[in-house]
Amino acid sequence: MGKDLDTNALFYRLGSNDKYVRTTIDPHVSYQSPLGHRFTLNARYLNVWRQGNGIDINASSNSLEFQPQYQYKYRGLLVITAGLPFTYGFSVSNLYSGRRQNFTAAAFAQAEVNYKIISWTGGVRYEAIGVDTFREFSRPVFRTGINIRAANATFIRASWGQGYRIPSIGERFIAEEFTQGIYVVPNDTLKTETGWSLELGLKQGFQVKQWKAYLDGALFWQEYKNFVQYEIGFYENRYRDGTKIFPTAPDMIIGLRAANLENARVVGYEITMASQGKIGEVGLQILAGYTYTYPVNPNDTTSITADNIGRPQNFLRKFFELNYRRPTPVEVNQLLMFRVRHLFRADVELTYWKMYLGGTLFYGSFPEQIPPLFSAAASIIFNDPLALERYREKRKNGDFVADLRIGITVNKNFKLGFLVRNISNHFYQLRPGRTEPHRNFTVQLRYSF
């Protein structure tokens, strides 16, 4: 029988009898003086141990974390925070060879100022980090933000911050056959991902008699260099030192592999509305929001020069145009892979006496950019060359999912609730190959004292 990506996606497979033991130790100490000085030290040891099955080795992951921090508060005007966090981890696994280790050592300082209608935050962080033989030093990052109360119920905010991320142990070293003929391919040449993000926002409150509401809008802009994303393709079956990754596999293999893009840009906006009030004796609360994202590779070379989104005028034009129309094949090639560009969520709750009834509606668009070799991989897995195309055609308009909840407050200490998530039992995947939760039921009993 042919398999596909929806109706036949939930076949039973042989389960795992793996046994895990998790150990956590969390010592901490804190001291605060009457003059506004506070010293804290939080530490943690975490071990996750997995028993091998006779073929695989025992796997063990260990991490040590120390978080010393100093904070000074001056009245309600100034807060200064500084710290010297350090983490160290080492692990062995059946998914990669040898003993791997990682560490992070940092120093940071931050100041918060609150004066009349202005709140300002600024800070710097300096880190030294490493994964196995990969090391990264002398990388200070800065961030700052400001919030201004322009009127009684009007708030303007802006923030900017830098960041970076080194490749994980999994991205660099995991080597595993995902399914017959398709591999998870390690990449020990990955570079550090760096970037910055900017957000501008405006929040406006309203009140009409018993009704209160606010409208919040934000524009965000993120730039990345050496952006890491997984790609499906044909890869040479060798590490950079020439040794073979999968000894029994051919010299060229098809698989999933983390890779660096030269640059990536994610720009979008978010609009949120919240309201609460009463209609007679019935209380009503509404929370709704929409997020639009335009995630692209600004150095895309597949498009013609006149259409290149590396040019600011082309990028801004397409940012607005693709909010209300589907991208062309050339524009699809410029998008980052597997990104959902439209998200909508609304939550409504009615209250009467001691009871409440609420519902949530969620919508996510289908990602337009799916690599061609993903279809080839799907055809191998499902033994059907058109599996992905049929699924894409059925889901091209996105997916709606609804939840429902009902409950009662018995008294000031005891609450009883019942929730149904994905009430229509709708099968959907925001990312192909990753099934979202099916219909499930939850009974809540809450007792507070």
Side-chain angles (χ1 to χ4, degrees):
M1 178 178 65
K3 301 178 183 179
D4 52 54
L5 293 182
D6 46 22
T7 56
N8 290 305
L10 301 176
F11 280 98
Y12 284 103
R13 299 293 298 271
L14 292 177
S16 170
N17 59 357
D18 291 349
K19 297 179 180 179
Y20 290 85
V21 177
R22 182 186 179 97
T23 304
T24 305
I25 303 174
D26 290 307
H28 59 275
V29 62
S30 177
Y31 167 76
Q32 185 168 350
S33 78
L35 299 178
H37 302 278
R38 182 181 182 185
F39 300 88
T40 59
L41 173 60
N42 296 320
R44 164 172 285 195
Y45 168 72
L46 171 64
N47 172 263
V48 180
W49 180 83
R50 168 189 170 273
Q51 183 180 25
N53 57 16
I55 300 175
D56 292 337
I57 64 172
N58 293 341
S60 178
S61 174
N62 301 270
S63 66
L64 296 167
E65 180 178 335
F66 298 92
Q67 299 278 354
Q69 184 173 288
Y70 163 75
Q71 188 175 81
Y72 172 69
K73 293 183 178 181
Y74 178 71
R75 298 179 179 176
L77 299 176
L78 175 66
V79 179
I80 296 175
T81 306
L84 296 169
F86 173 78
T87 60
Y88 173 74
F90 58 95
S91 60
V92 293
S93 174
N94 59 303
L95 298 178
Y96 47 80
S97 61
R99 180 178 182 268
R100 305 296 177 181
Q101 58 184 346
N102 61 84
F103 75 89
T104 302
F108 72 89
Q110 175 180 294
E112 301 175 42
V113 178
N114 296 283
Y115 181 71
K116 295 184 178 180
I117 64 171
I118 297 177
S119 298
W120 172 85
T121 300
V124 60
R125 183 182 179 97
Y126 183 90
E127 289 192 356
I129 53 181
V131 173
D132 206 60
T133 59
F134 182 87
R135 299 289 187 270
E136 187 82 36
F137 296 94
S138 304
R139 184 70 64 132
V141 293
F142 299 86
R143 72 181 186 92
T144 186
I146 190 170
N147 191 310
I148 302 173
R149 185 172 185 173
N152 187 44
T154 304
F155 299 87
I156 301 172
R157 67 183 184 275
S159 63
W160 176 86
Q162 295 174 303
Y164 70 100
R165 187 182 72 87
I166 66 169
S168 68
I169 289 177
E171 291 166 339
R172 290 176 63 85
F173 299 112
I174 284 184
E176 187 75 7
E177 188 172 12
F178 175 72
T179 188
Q180 186 175 4
I182 301 176
Y183 299 84
V184 178
V185 184
N187 185 355
D188 56 356
T189 65
L190 282 174
K191 300 176 182 177
T192 298
E193 176 184 298
T194 61
W196 58 263
S197 62
L198 171 70
E199 180 178 322
L200 303 174
L202 173 65
K203 181 177 179 179
Q204 179 64 57
F206 307 90
Q207 182 169 357
V208 179
K209 295 184 179 180
Q210 297 185 18
W211 282 91
K212 296 180 180 179
Y214 74 80
L215 187 66
D216 189 290
L219 173 69
F220 55 88
W221 190 301
Q222 301 168 336
E223 292 279 347
Y224 299 92
K225 184 178 180 181
N226 294 323
F227 181 75
V228 176
Q229 72 173 11
Y230 274 92
E231 298 178 350
I232 291 181
F234 289 99
Y235 300 104
E236 188 177 4
N237 184 20
R238 295 189 183 278
Y239 292 106
R240 60 178 171 179
D241 63 3
T243 58
K244 208 167 185 181
I245 302 173
F246 303 98
T248 61
D251 290 337
M252 295 298 295
I253 54 178
I254 183 173
L256 188 67
R257 183 174 182 257
N260 290 114
L261 285 180
E262 182 179 353
N263 289 300
R265 178 180 297 159
V266 180
V267 180
Y269 65 85
E270 184 174 52
I271 298 174
T272 303
M273 186 275 291
S275 173
Q276 67 176 23
K278 279 192 171 184
I279 303 176
E281 297 298 318
V282 179
L284 174 62
Q285 295 184 70
I286 301 173
L287 177 63
Y290 168 71
T291 303
Y292 167 66
T293 306
Y294 184 40
V296 299
N297 173 8
N299 300 106
D300 170 67
T301 58
T302 61
S303 59
I304 58 176
T305 303
D307 203 36
N308 195 312
I309 55 173
R311 297 182 175 183
Q313 64 272 28
N314 287 342
F315 173 81
L316 292 174
R317 173 173 54 83
K318 290 189 178 182
F319 169 77
F320 290 105
E321 285 184 0
L322 294 184
N323 197 165
Y324 59 85
R325 70 169 174 84
R326 296 184 185 276
T328 65
V330 169
E331 292 166 339
V332 167
N333 287 333
Q334 297 167 341
L335 298 174
L336 299 179
M337 295 179 184
F338 302 114
R339 294 300 183 104
V340 174
R341 296 194 304 112
H342 302 274
L343 289 172
F344 172 79
R345 182 181 178 89
D347 186 280
V348 179
E349 182 172 292
L350 300 171
T351 57
Y352 177 74
W353 187 52
K354 296 182 178 182
M355 300 188 64
Y356 68 84
L357 173 66
T360 301
L361 178 66
F362 169 83
Y363 168 78
S365 63
F366 191 79
E368 295 99 344
Q369 173 62 306
I370 301 175
L373 283 175
F374 190 92
S375 180
S379 68
I380 295 174
I381 295 172
F382 298 104
N383 194 28
D384 181 357
L386 299 178
L388 180 62
E389 298 308 316
R390 280 199 294 268
Y391 182 84
R392 188 203 299 260
E393 181 62 27
K394 290 170 62 176
R395 308 289 174 171
K396 64 182 180 181
N397 293 321
D399 292 279
F400 286 93
V401 181
D403 303 336
L404 185 67
R405 63 185 182 274
I406 188 170
I408 183 171
T409 302
V410 179
N411 54 46
K412 65 178 182 179
N413 303 109
F414 183 64
K415 293 183 179 180
L416 174 65
F418 180 67
L419 295 84
V420 185
R421 294 185 174 90
N422 192 357
I423 191 170
S424 64
N425 202 29
H426 179 57
F427 180 93
Y428 70 109
Q429 303 176 56
L430 294 177
R431 293 182 60 153
R434 179 183 174 184
T435 303
E436 298 298 326
H438 298 268
R439 180 169 55 215
N440 60 89
F441 306 91
T442 303
V443 177
Q444 289 183 334
L445 300 173
R446 295 183 180 180
Y447 184 81
S448 57
F449 54 89

